[in-house]
Amino acid sequence: MKKSVLTRYRVMAYVTGVLLVLLTIGVIAKYLLDIDGATGFTRVVAIAHGWLYVVYLVAAFDLGSKAKWPVGKQLWVLIAGTIPTAAFFVERRITPELEAKIDRRNGTVPPARPAPAGRGGTVKKG
């Protein structure tokens, strides 16, 4: 998997997440606060989010298939674009895992090795 696949997903996760938060604010402004102009704002953001969510789905599916994720994890990432702020949390959770996988494949970072037996990492003072 190339780093560009991860970057494409990350960009779309943030775009989708921001638009969904703006859409949520617009819906609150339109229906609960009855603010003038909220209808037009909500319509524009809803259309933008709808189209860009499709691009997010393609990017997330591409990432998941190249990362060889199980179906459950793939669905979790795909649905994250429909829950306000979820895309941010999901992106932050999977990025370090995939960056490490990419680095190992490129040979830039050696695979992590477990600590030798009997060494718990504590330092004795005294």
Side-chain angles (χ1 to χ4, degrees):
M1 175 175 56
K2 295 181 180 179
K3 189 152 180 110
S4 62
V5 175
L6 177 59
T7 302
R8 194 170 29 249
Y9 162 74
R10 292 183 72 194
V11 167
M12 289 314 302
Y14 279 104
V15 169
T16 302
V18 167
L19 286 173
L20 191 54
V21 168
L22 289 175
L23 181 59
T24 302
I25 292 169
V27 168
I28 291 169
K30 179 179 176 181
Y31 292 108
L32 295 179
L33 304 176
D34 198 27
I35 295 176
D36 291 335
T39 301
F41 174 80
T42 303
R43 183 179 306 120
V44 169
V45 174
I47 291 169
H49 172 69
W51 283 103
L52 290 172
Y53 178 66
V54 173
V55 177
Y56 168 83
L57 288 175
V58 171
F61 183 78
D62 185 38
L63 179 70
S65 63
K66 288 180 179 170
K68 297 180 175 39
W69 285 340
V71 174
K73 186 171 188 176
Q74 182 76 32
L75 287 174
W76 177 62
V77 173
L78 294 172
I79 292 171
T82 63
I83 303 166
T85 70
F88 304 122
F89 293 106
V90 170
E91 184 274 331
R92 287 326 255 153
R93 186 165 179 174
I94 65 170
T95 295
E97 164 196 333
L98 291 176
E99 283 179 336
K101 189 175 188 178
I102 291 168
D103 288 342
R104 280 193 302 273
R105 283 193 179 164
N106 292 338
T108 55
V109 174
R113 295 187 320 209
R119 296 188 182 199
T122 59
V123 177
K124 293 183 181 179
K125 293 184 180 182

